[in-house]
Amino acid sequence: MNTLLSRATPYLQATPLLLILGFFLALPILLLLVVSFWDYDFAGMYPDFMTLNYAESLGSWVTWKTYLNTLKFAAIVWAITAFVGFWVAYFLAFHVRSATTQMVLFLVCTVPFLTSNIIRMISWIPVLGRNGLINSGLVGAGIVEQPVEWLLYSDFAVILAMVHLYTLFMVTPIFNTMMRIDHSLVEAARDAGARDWQIIWNVILPLAKPGIAIGSIFVVTLVMADFSTVQVMSGGQSASVALMMRNQMSLLQYPAAAANAIVLLVLVLFMVAGILRIVDIRKEL
Amino acid sequence: MGQEKRSFGFYVLAAFFGLFVLFLYGPLSAVFILSFQGPQGGLTFPLNGVSLRWFQNLFETQAVGDFGASFTRSFLLGLLVMASTVLVSLLAGLAFRRKFVGATPLFYLTVASLVVPSIIVSLGIGVLFQQLGFRPAWFSSAFGAHLTWTLPFGVLIMFAVFNRFSPSYEEAARDLGASSWQTFAHVVLPMIAPSLIGVGLFGFSLSYDEFARTLMTSGSSNTLPLEIYGMTTNVTTPVLYALGTVTTVFSFLIILVTVGVILLMGRRRARA
C-alpha cells in the first residue's frame, strides 16, 4: 500500500500543472485550430470545414506585408537587444568585482521591468513627442528649426519602445550563463597569450551561447506577438500580425483571427525550433 | 580582470552600462515628474506649476473610469495567481525530481506555454469559454490565462532550485527517523522558502501587469492594465501619468516588502 502511494506521488503532484495547462493552453489552441476552418458572419460563427479563412489571409498582399513588417521588427529588435544584452551582462559578470555590487547593479536593471508595459510605453511620449524633451532640446540648441516629426508615432518609436520593454529578457539569461563560466578558463586563455577580444570571441561568446539562445527565444516570441506597442507607438501607422488579429477580434471575426493565430503560432514555433537547433538549452536547466 | 588595474575597456563598458540605466530610467522619471503637473499643465514639459490635481482626479471615479475597482480586481487576481503559481510549481517541481511516465511531454507543454504568443492564448480561452457557454471573468478565464504565463516561469525556477538541491539533507533526516512528510516540512521546505517567495513575487507582478492575456478573458469588467490601455487612446491629461506613478510605486512597495521578508528570513536562519 505504501509503495503504491509512493509510486503514485509524482503523478498526483504533476496533475494540477497538467490540468491547468491542458484546459487553458492545449484545449484553447486545439479549439482555435478547429474554429479557423469555420464560417462566420456579422452575427456569429458556424461549424464548417472551409479553408477560406486561410486563403483570404494568405492570399492577400496586405497580410504578407504585415508578416514582413512583423519579421522586420523582430529582426531589428533582436539584433539590438542581443548586442546590448551581451555587453551589459559581460560588464556585470566579468568587470564588476564584488558579488554585492553585481547583484545591486543587476537589480537596478530589473526594477523598471516590474512596472506595467503600457506605462513604460507611454513614458516615451513626453520624451519623443513634438514638444517633447528631445525636440525642445534640439530646437533650443538650434540644431533643427522645426521639431523632428519621426521621433514619435513611427517605426523608430516602435523599435525604441520594444528595446526598452524587452532587453531584460535578453540580459537575464545571458548574465545567468556568464555567471557560471569558470574564471580559470579566462585566466588560462590570458596565460596562453590571448588578447581581451580574443577571450571574448573564443571563450566567453561560445560559452554564453545558451543564454543568448534563451534570450533570443523570449525576445523573438514577444516581438512577434506584440500588438500594443505597435499600436500605441506607431500611432496606428504601422501593423503587425498580432495587431491584425486584434482588429479582427474587435470586429468579432473570430475564425479569421483564429486562422491568423494558427499561422503565427506555426511561424513562431519554427523560429524557436530554429534557435534550438543551434544550441541545446536543455543542458542548461 | 582580477587584481590588475582597470583597463580602458572597463571604462567603455561602464559608460555603456550607465547609458543603458539612463535609457531605462529616463522616460520613467519624466512620467513621474509630469504627474505632479499643475492644473493647467499638459502631457509634456515644461511643468506649469506643481500640484496633486491629477492624483485627486484619479480618485474621482466619474472622470477617468473606475480606477479603484480595476485596481482591486488586479490586486486580488495577482494574489490568486501568486498563491496558485507557488503551490502548483512546487508540486510540479517535486514531481519532476522523480521519473514518471509523461514527464517529457509535460515538460514540453510547460515550455510551449512560454512561447505561445499571449494574444493567441487570450483568443483561444475567449473562444473556449464562449463555446462552453461560460461567461469569461477576471477570476476564471483571466485567472487561467495568467497561469499559462506564470506557471512555466515558476516550474523552470523550481527545476533550477531542485537541480542544485543536495539529496543528502533528506537522507540525513530519513536516517534520523523522519517520515517523508516531516522531511519535507522541516528540511526541504525551509531551504527552498526564499525561492518560493521569489516565485510568488514573480507570479504576482507578471499577473498584475499582464495585458494581452487579459484582453479577451476578463469579461465585462476591466483589470488595471486594461484600464490603462483604454486611457492611452482617449485620455489627454496628466491623469494618465498620475496613474502610472501610483501603480509603479505600488509595484515597488510589493517588491520591497518581499525583499525585506527574504532578508529577514535569512537573518533569522543565520541566528538559529
Side-chain angles (χ1 to χ4, degrees):
Chain A
M1 185 61 212
N2 220 349
T3 52
L4 188 70
L5 184 69
S6 150
R7 236 190 283 157
T9 311
Y11 294 96
L12 293 175
Q13 287 167 334
T15 305
L17 181 69
L18 180 66
L19 288 181
I20 292 171
L21 293 184
F23 186 75
F24 287 106
L25 184 77
L27 194 59
I29 290 175
L30 282 178
L31 184 64
L32 282 187
L33 184 63
V34 173
V35 166
S36 67
F37 294 103
W38 284 10
D39 196 3
Y40 67 94
D41 62 20
F42 62 92
M45 44 189 196
Y46 312 99
D48 197 352
F49 186 84
M50 52 169 222
T51 49
L52 186 68
N53 296 316
Y54 289 97
E56 266 185 353
S57 182
L58 296 178
S60 126
W61 174 232
V62 179
T63 316
W64 283 94
K65 254 169 73 178
T66 310
Y67 271 93
L68 283 177
N69 204 38
T70 315
L71 288 171
K72 179 189 81 185
F73 284 139
I76 297 175
V77 174
W78 174 79
I80 298 174
T81 53
F83 180 82
V84 174
F86 181 82
W87 290 112
V88 166
Y90 172 71
F91 173 73
L92 287 177
F94 288 98
H95 282 272
V96 178
R97 286 171 188 172
S98 97
T100 321
T101 321
Q102 223 164 31
M103 272 344 280
V104 169
L105 289 182
F106 180 67
L107 280 180
V108 165
C109 293
T110 43
V111 160
F113 291 86
L114 294 164
T115 59
S116 159
N117 272 3
I118 299 168
I119 298 289
R120 285 198 290 141
M121 213 150 44
I122 58 167
S123 71
W124 282 104
I125 293 173
V127 178
L128 299 178
R130 204 168 184 285
N131 302 309
L133 282 179
I134 292 180
N135 267 327
S136 22
L138 288 176
V139 174
I143 298 172
V144 292
E145 279 180 20
Q146 290 293 311
V148 185
E149 297 282 353
W150 53 263
L151 285 178
L152 190 62
Y153 304 134
S154 59
D155 281 0
F156 169 78
V158 173
I159 289 165
L160 189 72
M162 282 180 172
V163 170
H164 193 226
L165 291 174
Y166 303 140
T167 305
L168 180 81
F169 288 94
M170 196 61 107
V171 173
T172 310
I174 301 180
F175 178 61
N176 208 10
T177 34
M178 279 186 180
M179 289 297 282
R180 285 193 232 157
I181 296 176
D182 192 342
H183 279 225
S184 55
L185 290 173
V186 177
E187 299 289 333
R190 191 176 306 277
D191 291 345
R195 292 165 176 279
D196 278 347
W197 62 265
Q198 283 177 317
I199 297 176
I200 294 173
W201 187 253
N202 292 321
V203 180
I204 295 172
L205 189 64
L207 290 173
K209 261 188 187 165
I212 300 174
I214 297 175
S216 305
I217 291 174
F218 275 126
V219 170
V220 166
T221 48
L222 284 166
V223 175
M224 291 299 290
D226 189 293
F227 66 94
S228 48
T229 317
V230 178
Q231 187 180 16
V232 173
M233 297 308 286
S234 81
Q237 295 175 44
S238 201
S240 75
V241 185
L243 185 55
M244 184 163 72
M245 276 177 64
R246 165 84 190 108
N247 291 336
Q248 288 165 333
M249 280 151 68
S250 49
L251 295 171
L252 303 181
Q253 301 170 341
Y254 294 133
N260 265 317
I262 298 300
V263 176
L264 177 65
L265 186 62
V266 170
L267 186 62
V268 166
L269 290 181
F270 263 114
M271 293 169 89
V272 171
I275 297 170
L276 291 181
R277 286 214 121 193
I278 304 171
V279 273
D280 179 14
I281 58 158
R282 278 206 82 176
K283 282 190 303 198
E284 280 305 293
L285 286 166
Chain B
M1 295 268 333
Q3 278 68 44
E4 302 150 39
K5 227 175 57 189
R6 296 286 197 202
S7 63
F8 175 67
F10 169 81
Y11 293 102
V12 175
L13 285 168
F16 184 74
F17 182 78
L19 282 177
F20 177 63
V21 172
L22 187 71
F23 170 70
L24 291 183
Y25 284 83
L28 277 179
S29 35
V31 159
F32 182 73
I33 295 167
L34 285 170
S35 61
F36 294 96
Q37 184 73 276
Q40 258 70 56
L43 281 168
T44 49
F45 286 100
L47 280 176
N48 268 330
V50 175
S51 76
L52 293 175
R53 172 84 201 87
W54 306 107
F55 290 94
Q56 275 171 12
N57 201 311
L58 202 55
F59 293 96
E60 298 159 2
T61 15
Q62 66 281 13
V64 289
D66 206 350
F67 163 67
S70 59
F71 169 79
T72 314
R73 265 175 233 125
S74 275
F75 184 67
L76 290 177
L77 179 58
L79 290 181
L80 208 60
V81 169
M82 175 177 84
S84 324
T85 306
V86 170
L87 188 67
V88 176
S89 336
L90 172 63
L91 287 174
L94 290 169
F96 277 111
R97 293 181 81 192
R98 314 244 299 259
K99 279 204 170 67
F100 63 95
V101 180
T104 310
L106 185 58
F107 174 79
Y108 279 117
L109 181 65
T110 311
V111 173
S113 192
L114 213 56
V115 292
V116 173
S118 40
I119 190 162
I120 297 181
V121 175
S122 198
L123 175 66
I125 297 178
V127 171
L128 176 67
F129 269 58
Q130 192 192 30
Q131 289 301 306
L132 292 176
F134 296 157
R135 215 173 248 273
W138 61 268
F139 50 81
S140 57
S141 43
F143 171 65
H146 286 198
L147 283 180
T148 62
W149 184 224
T150 58
L151 280 180
F153 282 105
V155 171
L156 290 180
I157 294 172
M158 291 324 293
F159 255 74
V161 169
F162 282 127
N163 267 350
R164 288 164 189 66
F165 190 88
S166 160
S168 53
Y169 295 104
E170 288 156 276
E171 280 157 24
R174 221 169 294 135
D175 289 346
L176 291 169
S179 69
S180 54
W181 173 251
Q182 281 173 324
T183 311
F184 174 73
H186 298 297
V187 179
V188 179
L189 199 57
M191 290 182 75
I192 60 169
S195 316
L196 285 180
I197 296 177
V199 169
L201 174 67
F202 217 71
F204 180 86
S205 56
L206 286 179
S207 162
Y208 178 71
D209 294 333
E210 181 53 43
F211 164 63
R213 278 169 210 255
T214 330
L215 201 62
M216 288 286 292
T217 56
S218 77
S220 48
S221 34
N222 279 350
T223 61
L224 195 57
L226 285 179
E227 194 76 22
I228 299 172
Y229 177 68
M231 286 173 70
T232 57
T233 47
N234 55 36
V235 173
T236 49
T237 61
V239 70
L240 190 56
Y241 298 155
L243 183 55
T245 302
V246 170
T247 56
T248 304
V249 167
F250 179 75
S251 294
F252 288 163
L253 281 180
I254 295 274
I255 296 153
L256 282 180
V257 168
T258 316
V259 171
V261 169
I262 294 178
L263 287 178
L264 204 73
M265 284 174 65
R267 199 170 296 170
R268 215 189 266 166
R269 188 169 311 154
R271 239 187 288 142

